[in-house]
Amino acid sequence: MNEPLPFWASETFWKKTAIWVTSGSFVLLILLTFDSLAKISAGGSRVPAYSVINKDISYRFDKQLQRYQPVILGDAPLFGKMLSETEAEQLVALGKKTTQAKNCMNCHTLLGNGAYYAPDLTKAWLDQAWGGAGRETAMAQFLLDPEKYAHTYGSNRKMPNLGITEEEARGVVAFLKWMSAIDTNGFPHNFKAIGAEEE
Amino acid sequence: MAIQAYQDKAAALYAGLRSRYSVFMANPHLTGGQKLAVHYFTAAVVLFMAQLLFGLLAGLQFIWPGFLYEVLDFNVNRMVHINAMIVWMLYGFIGSVYWFLEDESGVPVVGLKWGQLAFWVLTGAVALVVLVYLLVQVGSGNDTSLWFINEGREYIEAPRWADIGIVAVMLVFFYNVAATFAQGKWSGIAGVLTLDLVALAGLYLAGMFYATNISVDQYWWWWVIHLWVEATWEVLVGCIMAWSLMKLLGVRRQIVQTWLYIEVALMFGSGILGLGHHYFWIGTPEYWFTIGGFFSALEPIPLVAMVVHSVYDSGVHNFKNGNHPALAWIIAHTFGNFLGAGVWGFMHTLPQINLYTHGTQWSASHGHLAFFGAYATINIAFFYLAAQQARGNCWMGGGLANGWRWKWSLALLNLGVMGMTVALLIAGYEQSFIERAIEGSTWTAYFDAQNHPWFVQAMVWRVIFGLMTIAGGGLLFWDLLAIGKAETRKAAVINLA
């Protein structure tokens, strides 16, 4: 056991390798994080400004990328009221905090993350289940009394009454509308949105 | 009268617990650090049982959605299920480190009193958080709810006051570890462990603030979840594994430590940028497809290396060891980690397939086997090491009295989790196929997949194997309380190679 080890089998070689590889990867991650955070700030091309809730959001098939992408069309104020950027952000924040305080993520998925007991909410605003016109009212109504307005699609799974107030319900709808406009690189796959265009 | 009777009963129970506790604290076979480790292990086992119970409730609700509707809804059960898991695993890791800290450093734990205080603070806080989860459940959409009820962010739901408490406790733990090594010997394991704990505690901070922008929110959220589970926890487990291989099999330190460094290089080299596989669909730029796909495809490599080296070590030593249950669980860890984290993770990690499988039962399948294989198993191995030492380093080899208990619990737990994993995998394939590939990801598509007989059958199988897991868990609980108590023989002595 006394013959000298080749350098590649020695403890010090691997110690140095471990340190270099770890710090190298971490530095790269930091650099990528700066870039990613700049690209996903609200108001950029990937994540829309909160005032997008004043607009008509739809889906369009991108031939080159071979996937549907969200598109922002003309004015379509939420609950019939145009909001300033600050007001819109406040409403979306109320909705986001409500989804957290009501623990939505432990039944539903948001951007595909969460639990799988209830449907993904990523593009909920654009889901055909809500029909076309007046969907914000239908959604808010559902959130206020989910048992009464439940559509279980034969699964018998019902959302419990979580004591959501009217203002909170509007906030959640605003949050869902804003989230539906995020460019999620074509996720969920092949999503057939309300009024999706195939060119 | 009735109240008086209950008071007497409670007083008797309390007196009984106190006397048992003082007997335990006078145990001559354990050092101070090891006694603290047993505290952590005890709380860990209790939380493990809670994890199994709430997992069963959530699993049953898939089959009978009306079960406990508006009493304990799925979101509450599922939150307690996954939080109990995270917390018991952390308890197990912290306990394991206290367990070998004095042996590895050669000196008593520095600041042990602080460590003991931190344990009771943490345990009190965990109990309070769970009570709030169960009794209050949800709050209004404001910051008060996020501070005092729950943050509603999968895996790190703990309200913010508890987050701050957890960080304080982690700092005490870190002080115990670093100061003890500083006063005693610094080994390779000690160095890796200390740096890893800095990273582990530091990453938790990334999940402690609110962001309205959900893309930003989930960006940092994954820093905690992924960089814990697929980087710092794996390295922590590598340190624990390295120490236990030396103790259990008498492997030479130089070999173990060289492998530990190789593992750190591979684990961090693949795991840190492998983070990218969570950045495919949350609004982040497309370059994460390439980076995330490439590095996460490398992630199984260290896990293969681990199988190679542990099987090799065991073979070289002809499986001779002084604690059969612990070695059996370490072998279960090697394979569980490789299969659950490595194979199951790799199967759906590339964007080309993840587009279909993300957010389906696929993830649940991977999660069940990965957490069990990578982390539950090695913690259980340490519970057996502790049980052996606490009972006077008793015999734990072949022909152990009531040896059927550990063998059956090992078999039931492993088969149970594997069965659940396969059932959820079948459900996941079906869901990806019908909901995503065929029907186009709408809510109707979602429910078409959920109502399909193939999905329903898989969920029934999941509960059946869940019951098997619970049977194994109960047996494990019983065995840990009893194993070696009646044993008069001393542990087998393993000659160091």
Side-chain angles (χ1 to χ4, degrees):
Chain A
M1 289 302 280
N2 286 328
E3 39 195 296
L5 283 171
F7 82 97
W8 53 265
S10 70
E11 211 179 315
T12 41
F13 170 76
W14 282 105
K15 187 176 182 171
K16 286 176 191 159
T17 308
I19 292 170
W20 280 105
V21 167
T22 305
S23 36
S25 306
F26 195 63
V27 167
L28 263 174
L29 177 63
I30 301 273
L31 293 175
L32 289 166
T33 295
F34 275 114
D35 185 67
S36 288
L37 287 176
K39 290 190 170 135
I40 60 174
S41 63
S45 63
R46 305 194 58 89
V47 178
Y50 299 107
S51 56
V52 80
I53 59 173
N54 295 320
K55 302 280 179 187
D56 183 15
I57 299 159
S58 189
Y59 248 42
R60 188 173 287 157
F61 193 76
D62 185 320
K63 274 243 167 84
Q64 212 191 334
L65 294 171
Q66 281 294 306
R67 65 187 189 221
Y68 284 97
Q69 296 279 97
V71 281
I72 317 298
L73 305 166
D75 286 348
L78 192 65
F79 298 106
K81 203 178 158 212
M82 289 294 273
L83 300 177
S84 70
E85 190 58 49
T86 325
E87 287 169 326
E89 183 172 353
Q90 276 170 0
L91 193 59
V92 172
L94 173 66
K96 170 87 170 6
K97 282 179 187 169
T98 304
T99 61
Q100 290 185 226
K102 305 293 178 190
N103 204 358
C104 301
M105 210 180 177
N106 269 301
C107 284
H108 293 277
T109 37
L110 300 165
L111 300 176
N113 296 310
Y116 319 112
Y117 188 69
D120 195 320
L121 297 181
T122 310
K123 302 294 172 189
W125 172 256
L126 298 171
D127 202 282
Q128 292 170 357
W130 297 110
R135 71 186 116 150
E136 55 252 57
T137 322
M139 288 172 105
Q141 209 172 32
F142 171 77
L143 288 168
L144 290 174
D145 193 350
E147 188 160 19
K148 184 172 163 197
Y149 296 98
H151 284 276
T152 76
Y153 298 87
S155 73
N156 286 328
R157 282 183 224 165
K158 272 189 292 189
M159 186 170 135
N161 192 328
L162 297 166
I164 297 171
T165 67
E166 243 181 278
E167 193 53 29
E168 284 171 347
R170 279 178 219 260
V172 172
V173 176
F175 170 63
L176 293 175
K177 185 172 182 185
W178 167 75
M179 184 162 61
S180 76
I182 295 176
D183 179 357
T184 49
N185 291 333
F187 178 86
H189 176 65
N190 202 24
F191 177 66
K192 307 270 193 304
I194 294 174
E197 289 176 47
E198 211 155 332
E199 283 174 68
Chain B
M1 265 325 268
I3 292 174
Q4 183 64 39
Y6 281 119
Q7 274 177 350
D8 291 347
K9 270 194 182 159
L13 182 71
Y14 181 69
L17 284 175
R18 272 211 80 112
S19 81
R20 282 184 72 118
Y21 187 70
S22 50
V23 169
F24 168 74
M25 290 308 279
N27 188 329
H29 307 296
L30 300 179
T31 66
Q34 288 178 335
K35 279 176 193 156
L36 182 53
V38 174
H39 281 55
Y40 274 99
F41 291 155
T42 310
V45 176
V46 171
L47 286 164
F48 181 27
M49 296 305 133
Q51 184 208 348
L52 296 180
L53 174 68
F54 284 90
L56 178 71
L57 295 180
L60 285 172
Q61 283 173 326
F62 261 100
I63 304 175
W64 295 298
F67 177 57
L68 293 178
Y69 178 68
E70 294 203 326
V71 179
L72 279 179
D73 285 307
F74 183 89
N75 62 345
V76 177
N77 291 327
R78 203 250 185 187
M79 172 170 62
V80 179
H81 175 59
I82 61 175
N83 281 208
M85 173 192 75
I86 297 267
V87 177
W88 90 256
M89 284 173 180
L90 284 172
Y91 267 77
F93 298 152
I94 295 173
S96 303
V97 171
Y98 278 123
W99 183 261
F100 69 70
L101 187 54
E102 292 173 333
D103 184 88
E104 187 67 12
S105 65
V107 294
V109 175
V110 176
L112 184 62
K113 280 241 148 60
W114 284 100
Q116 284 162 338
L117 178 70
F119 168 79
W120 292 107
V121 169
L122 180 64
T123 306
V126 168
L128 188 56
V129 168
V130 172
L131 283 176
V132 171
Y133 282 173
L134 292 177
L135 301 176
V136 183
Q137 299 188 355
V138 294
S140 302
N142 55 35
D143 291 323
T144 316
S145 299
L146 307 188
W147 273 93
F148 298 105
I149 300 173
N150 87 63
E151 280 200 67
R153 298 164 79 217
E154 195 190 16
Y155 295 112
I156 46 175
E157 285 95 344
R160 196 151 305 141
W161 73 265
D163 286 341
I164 294 168
I166 289 166
V167 171
V169 168
M170 284 300 290
L171 286 175
V172 173
F173 172 55
F174 179 77
Y175 159 70
N176 284 155
V177 172
T180 308
F181 283 128
Q183 206 176 79
K185 293 191 295 274
W186 276 106
S187 60
I189 297 177
V192 173
L193 177 67
T194 309
L195 289 176
D196 192 57
L197 289 178
V198 175
L200 193 144
L203 287 171
Y204 192 56
L205 300 175
M208 281 174 60
F209 58 91
Y210 168 82
T212 298
N213 184 336
I214 193 169
S215 295
V216 171
D217 175 332
Q218 294 205 352
Y219 190 94
W220 291 112
W221 177 66
W222 282 119
W223 270 52
V224 187
I225 309 303
H226 172 95
L227 292 179
W228 263 10
V229 174
E230 287 169 67
T232 51
W233 282 22
E234 286 277 8
V235 168
L236 181 61
V237 159
C239 295
I240 294 170
M241 178 78 145
W243 183 85
S244 58
L245 285 177
M246 289 194 301
K247 287 296 138 176
L248 268 170
L249 293 168
V251 185
R252 270 194 307 147
R253 177 175 287 276
Q254 197 194 0
I255 293 174
V256 166
Q257 288 190 167
T258 308
W259 268 109
L260 181 63
Y261 289 129
I262 294 174
E263 205 180 296
V264 171
L266 294 173
M267 195 63 80
F268 280 142
S270 60
I272 291 178
L273 290 169
L275 175 60
H277 64 231
H278 299 292
Y279 293 161
F280 297 155
W281 326 115
I282 66 166
T284 31
E286 283 176 65
Y287 54 69
W288 286 111
F289 284 159
T290 318
I291 296 165
F294 183 82
F295 284 95
S296 55
L298 296 173
E299 278 188 56
I301 294 173
L303 305 174
V304 180
M306 186 143 68
V307 173
V308 173
H309 102 121
S310 70
V311 170
Y312 178 81
D313 285 344
S314 304
V316 161
H317 297 85
N318 296 320
F319 283 88
K320 276 194 195 127
N321 72 92
N323 190 321
H324 284 198
L327 185 69
W329 276 103
I330 284 191
I331 292 169
H333 161 80
T334 327
F335 284 98
N337 202 359
F338 169 62
L339 283 175
V343 176
W344 254 254
F346 178 70
M347 279 199 279
H348 72 151
T349 197
L350 299 177
Q352 289 85 345
I353 187 74
N354 192 257
L355 176 60
Y356 299 88
T357 59
H358 178 56
T360 68
Q361 296 295 334
W362 247 105
S363 311
S365 172
H366 163 54
H368 278 73
L369 191 55
F371 277 114
F372 178 77
Y375 303 120
T377 46
I378 192 142
N379 280 332
I380 296 171
F382 264 75
F383 300 161
Y384 276 108
L385 285 177
Q388 178 181 38
Q389 187 68 36
R391 283 152 199 161
N393 202 17
C394 62
W395 177 264
M396 280 224 196
L400 180 69
N402 290 316
W404 66 272
R405 281 197 302 246
W406 76 261
K407 288 173 195 164
W408 271 97
S409 78
L410 176 89
L412 288 170
L413 277 165
N414 279 286
L415 286 175
V417 173
M418 198 65 205
M420 285 195 286
T421 303
V422 171
L424 291 170
L425 182 67
I426 291 166
Y429 268 108
E430 186 270 353
Q431 193 183 349
S432 313
F433 196 67
I434 293 185
E435 177 189 333
R436 295 273 163 74
I438 297 180
E439 292 195 24
S441 306
T442 56
W443 288 7
T444 318
Y446 170 83
F447 281 108
D448 283 347
Q450 300 287 310
N451 292 335
H452 198 285
W454 290 347
F455 185 91
V456 177
Q457 282 162 14
M459 285 301 167
V460 172
W461 279 109
R462 190 266 290 271
V463 169
I464 292 171
F465 281 104
L467 288 169
M468 185 187 274
T469 311
I470 286 196
L475 202 51
L476 174 75
F477 194 83
W478 178 25
D479 194 42
L480 286 169
L481 288 176
I483 195 168
K485 270 201 171 154
E487 192 58 60
T488 48
R489 291 171 291 175
K490 284 280 164 199
V493 176
I494 306 304
N495 288 324
L496 295 183

